Amino acid sequence: MQSYIIRRACAPLPGLTGAIFDPAAEPFCRGEYAPIDRYAWGGEYRPEARAYLAWDEGGIDVLLCAREETISARTTEFGGDVWKDSCLEWFLRPFEDDPRYINIETNAAGAAVIAVGPDREHRQRLSACPAGMDIRASRHAGGWWAVAYRLPFDLIGALFGRRPEAGMAFFGNFYKCDESLHPHFGSWNPIEAPAPDFHRPECFGKLMLEA
């Protein structure tokens, strides 16, 4: 099982909107990252992708990025089919004694799908982007592109009935996919399944909030 320590925030999330992204130039990206580099289901297209997380008492700052020459970003509305575009995703199960997890899927246009439930079949989709998430995406010019947002602990509290605390462990996975331009399915923690399937909580890795 892969593990990743979510460090205390020491730099703000970049604004991204309208800008070209370069992880080497971003103070937020100077810490360790979770590489999204496990491609279990065929194909030679395997773009480099990363996840950077940091936290404070109000929530978790999330930056996901990938390096691709060409991308797809057709969906622009919240709740659309973002996974068919160039997409970066984070699935998080906050509490070990609660089987539910939240999936946050964001394409290169900054459009997102967010849902909560214990498995693929039993999920409740959010009808609008929650207050405080501030999802944004960079401009793409043939290299890196990125999405960033904040996952407020107040939102986790509203969805799961309690808030995370310092030192606790989460379970989750990061993904990179595209079902249209360059079909591919990458993950941080490896997935064992006969066909592409990100809704595999048994294949989540461990994420630990730095005390």
Side-chain angles (χ1 to χ4, degrees), residues 1-194:
M1 177 186 292
Q2 297 273 75
S3 62
Y4 176 80
I5 297 175
I6 305 174
R7 305 292 185 185
R8 288 274 187 171
C10 58
L13 276 172
L16 292 186
T17 305
I20 298 296
F21 174 76
D22 179 0
E26 288 294 345
F28 186 83
C29 298
R30 288 177 184 163
E32 295 181 358
Y33 62 84
I36 308 171
D37 58 1
R38 305 298 183 99
Y39 288 87
W41 300 288
E44 296 182 359
Y45 188 81
R46 301 184 174 195
E48 181 180 1
R50 306 173 180 177
Y52 296 87
L53 276 65
W55 81 282
D56 58 31
E57 283 68 21
I60 301 174
D61 291 331
V62 181
L63 189 146
L64 309 175
C65 59
R67 182 160 55 183
E68 301 182 89
E69 290 187 9
T70 56
I71 62 173
S72 172
R74 296 171 298 177
T75 300
T76 57
E77 72 277 4
F78 184 87
D81 295 346
V82 297
W83 60 89
K84 295 181 180 179
D85 287 330
S86 302
C87 191
L88 287 157
E89 307 180 2
W90 182 30
F91 287 28
L92 173 68
R93 181 182 171 189
F95 305 103
E96 189 170 7
D97 60 352
D98 187 333
R100 294 176 299 157
Y101 59 92
I102 181 170
N103 58 291
I104 305 170
E105 308 175 19
T106 312
N107 73 357
V113 167
I114 303 174
V116 178
D119 52 37
R120 177 186 289 277
E121 288 75 26
H122 303 90
R123 309 201 63 68
Q124 180 180 357
R125 279 200 187 190
L126 277 60
S127 60
C129 188
M133 285 199 71
D134 188 24
I135 299 173
R136 62 263 201 187
S138 68
R139 183 162 59 92
H140 182 257
W144 286 98
W145 64 275
V147 297
Y149 53 85
R150 183 169 176 81
L151 179 59
F153 286 160
D154 283 348
L155 176 60
I156 293 179
L159 294 174
F160 293 89
R162 50 189 151 156
R163 291 166 55 96
E165 299 177 354
M168 70 178 293
F170 299 149
F171 296 91
N173 214 341
F174 305 103
Y175 305 113
K176 172 69 182 76
C177 67
D178 179 350
E179 293 187 7
S180 57
L181 187 61
H182 307 291
H184 61 280
F185 305 90
S187 68
W188 165 60
N189 204 59
I191 301 173
E192 294 184 5

